[in-house]
Amino acid sequence: MNNHGMTLIVKTVTRITVWMILLYGFYIILHGHLTPGGGFAGGVIIALAFLNVLLAYGRKFTQEWLNIHLLETVESLSALLFVVMGVIGVVIGGSFLANFLSKGALFHLVSAGTILPLNIIIGFKVAMSLFLVVWVLAGVKMSKGGEA
Amino acid sequence: MPVETWLIFTLGFMILGSIVALEIRDILSAIIAISVVGLGVSMAFLFLQAPDLAIVQFLFEIFALIILVRAFIDKKNHQFEPSSSSMVMTIVGVVAIAVIFMLSIPMFRLLPPFGEPLMSVSQHYLDFGASETGAANLVASIILDYRAYDTLGEVTVLFTAILGAFAILRTTAKHKTAGGNDE
């Protein structure tokens, strides 16, 4: 469509694979308490998927595809939610970040109490943080090139 | 082969990669060579049976590689200035490393044997981690239950990093609040 970004081959491959990478990232986050990985690794995978789009399609398309302000809000909210989970732990469990939810059965997807929600929170936090840092750094580079 | 053999092989490969990264002229080749070190760390974690760490290390290596390559691929000249290191400085550096290594040998003797942790709390995690937290992945039970407070610190570090990046690298000035455009 536009001349930004890389060639048509890269764009086509990215369009197909970015959803698979995102799905894999969500899988790693959701199964963090069952298999190796967790919120941190899954968050990096999601950030890399967004980075993939940024590299292949260019900055302008990514700005239309992703709502950057929404990402910033999610990023800040996830940090707040982590603290809120800790405070709920104080109220219900008696200590900061106490595991106040039901433990469930071992090896089940919904188990391990607060570990699953905390994994999801950390996953969003890491994904948004890493992508936004790259986004800001890339923006500085571009504005230097086209000195206004 | 025992795991130590693989580890020594991986560590030697990493040292080789870092030497190549230091000596090579072309900056893109240096970035590729330095990423050998990070991927070697990832392999070492795999040999030490720490897949969680290996995954995170591998992903961060890819992430750093993408950023570095993207930053340097547009540069017109990829060549380093040849560093003029004198013979004296090289000798001083080697002697300093040798002295520090000799001084730290008594410390190495105090280290526990390979695979036997110093802290007895890790045995508690191994014995009761699954029953106390309900998580099949013991690493998740440690970082998000026993040591969740440390994870909060990690989240704070990330939050501060993105805050600083946005504050320092802001591309648009606050024209409206400053009351007038500066030319």
Side-chain angles (χ1 to χ4, degrees):
Chain A
M1 323 284 163
N2 51 14
N3 295 324
H4 298 290
M6 296 186 184
T7 57
L8 183 67
I9 297 169
V10 179
K11 282 182 179 176
T12 310
V13 172
T14 302
R15 197 166 59 223
I16 297 165
T17 56
V18 69
W19 299 106
M20 298 185 191
I21 301 171
L22 279 173
L23 186 68
Y24 184 59
F26 283 121
Y27 161 77
I28 289 276
I29 290 175
L30 287 178
H31 287 71
H33 57 299
L34 302 175
T35 54
F40 212 85
V44 181
I45 292 173
I46 292 176
L48 283 171
F50 288 164
L51 192 57
N52 195 352
V53 175
L54 177 62
L55 287 175
Y57 280 88
R59 194 177 174 82
K60 206 175 161 199
F61 178 87
T62 314
Q63 202 156 20
E64 291 163 7
W65 186 59
L66 290 169
N67 189 347
I68 300 295
H69 284 291
L70 182 70
L71 296 194
E72 290 171 16
T73 315
V74 169
E75 196 266 339
S76 308
L77 265 183
S78 52
L80 188 67
L81 262 178
F82 198 99
V83 181
V84 167
M85 290 288 286
V87 174
I88 294 173
V90 172
V91 173
I92 296 176
S95 65
F96 191 66
L97 283 165
N99 201 337
F100 58 86
L101 291 175
S102 161
K103 303 281 186 295
L106 202 63
F107 298 112
H108 281 221
L109 182 60
V110 182
S111 67
T114 54
I115 290 180
L116 180 59
L118 286 181
N119 249 337
I120 294 168
I121 290 168
I122 289 186
F124 275 107
K125 173 80 197 155
V126 170
M128 301 313 152
S129 296
L130 289 178
F131 177 70
L132 284 174
V133 165
V134 174
W135 177 262
V136 172
L137 286 171
V140 166
K141 198 163 164 291
M142 274 186 70
S143 68
K144 249 187 179 174
E147 196 95 346
Chain B
M1 269 200 282
V3 70
E4 285 90 344
T5 318
W6 286 108
L7 268 184
I8 291 168
F9 178 73
T10 316
L11 286 174
F13 201 60
M14 285 157 61
I15 293 171
L16 201 71
S18 45
I19 291 173
V20 168
L22 280 174
E23 292 298 325
I24 209 162
R25 288 286 190 79
D26 188 59
I27 197 159
L28 278 179
S29 310
I31 291 167
I32 301 297
I34 205 75
S35 72
V36 165
V37 180
L39 294 177
V41 173
S42 178
M43 291 297 288
F45 284 142
L46 270 185
F47 288 132
L48 291 171
Q49 300 174 11
D52 291 81
L53 277 174
I55 290 173
V56 173
Q57 172 66 31
F58 179 79
L59 289 169
F60 262 95
E61 195 53 46
I62 300 295
F63 193 77
L65 185 67
I66 289 172
I67 293 175
L68 283 173
V69 169
R70 191 67 189 84
F72 285 103
I73 204 158
D74 290 337
K75 292 278 184 291
K76 289 291 176 287
N77 49 346
H78 287 170
Q79 304 291 316
F80 275 133
E81 289 284 316
S83 60
S84 58
S85 64
S86 63
M87 198 69 193
V88 182
M89 289 308 289
T90 312
I91 292 170
V92 168
V94 169
V95 167
I97 290 170
V99 166
I100 291 170
F101 186 74
M102 297 291 269
L103 287 175
S104 58
I105 281 176
M107 292 295 130
F108 289 145
R109 293 224 178 87
L110 292 176
L111 287 175
F114 186 72
E116 289 178 25
L118 196 61
M119 292 183 296
S120 55
V121 70
S122 49
Q123 195 60 46
H124 177 88
Y125 293 155
L126 286 176
D127 291 340
F128 301 107
S131 58
E132 279 182 356
T133 65
N137 183 8
L138 205 59
V139 178
S141 78
I142 291 171
I143 63 168
L144 288 171
D145 192 300
Y146 291 116
R147 295 273 179 264
Y149 193 59
D150 289 348
T151 310
L152 176 63
E154 179 193 274
V155 168
T156 315
V157 167
L158 270 174
F159 185 66
T160 319
I162 184 68
L163 208 65
F166 263 95
I168 294 169
L169 302 174
R170 192 176 53 211
T171 50
T172 51
K174 283 183 180 173
H175 286 304
K176 283 164 192 166
T177 52
N181 298 345
D182 45 335
E183 299 299 315

